Amino acid sequence: MLRFRGATLLPVLKEAQSNKCQVILVKDEGVYFMSQIGEKDHTGRHKLLCYADGCNPETESFGDWWELSRQECGGDDFGEFFDLSVNIFQHLLKGGNDLFVIVTDSEIRLHIEASVPHSH
């Protein structure tokens, strides 16, 4: 099961909402959500990406993010499109929730849980 933090997912969802487009769950170099249409950096990559915990190539070692991505999503790269009108995304747009994703051979399941504040 992959966890996408609400605090970093919300800007991606809002970008998709403002551009009236879908969001895409991508598995290639890591696993992340992005807006179908969005602002890009000087290299042509989308600026706003929400990586799953442990699957960010910018913060995790190659072996760690690659193995977790393979275990949770299989070996093939993919992009799965989701419409923001789906109830779960409408709930997430209100903020404060994390999204959990389970990828199987036949489906992608999404569910939400409230974010737990970090204690110091």
Side-chain angles (χ1 to χ4, degrees):
M1 180 167 41
L2 296 170
R3 180 181 200 163
F4 294 85
R5 302 287 174 163
T8 52
L9 182 57
L10 187 57
V12 171
L13 298 178
K14 287 188 175 198
E15 181 177 55
Q17 185 179 47
S18 69
N19 289 318
K20 297 177 176 53
C21 64
Q22 295 179 309
V23 290
I24 311 168
L25 174 63
V26 179
K27 189 243 177 210
D28 56 15
E29 290 187 22
V31 181
Y32 54 91
F33 273 97
M34 63 181 256
S35 175
Q36 182 182 8
I37 300 168
E39 188 177 355
K40 296 184 176 158
D41 66 16
H42 68 283
T43 67
R45 284 185 51 101
H46 279 259
K47 283 186 174 184
L48 287 177
L49 301 175
C50 175
Y51 283 94
D53 287 359
C55 293
N56 184 342
E58 295 177 14
T59 60
E60 309 291 332
S61 72
F62 174 82
D64 290 344
W65 72 256
W66 187 87
E67 183 59 26
L68 182 58
S69 299
R70 189 191 63 73
Q71 284 176 1
E72 295 294 331
C73 299
D76 294 334
D77 291 353
F78 65 82
E80 186 70 30
F81 290 74
F82 294 93
D83 193 324
L84 284 181
S85 66
V86 174
N87 286 343
I88 196 165
F89 290 111
Q90 288 300 304
H91 187 80
L92 288 164
L93 278 163
K94 295 174 185 166
N97 293 98
D98 293 348
L99 175 65
F100 293 83
V101 176
I102 299 170
V103 179
T104 69
D105 289 341
S106 60
E107 67 182 354
I108 297 174
R109 292 193 311 258
L110 310 174
H111 75 275
I112 56 177
E113 290 182 18
S115 296
V116 178
H118 297 285
S119 57
H120 298 293

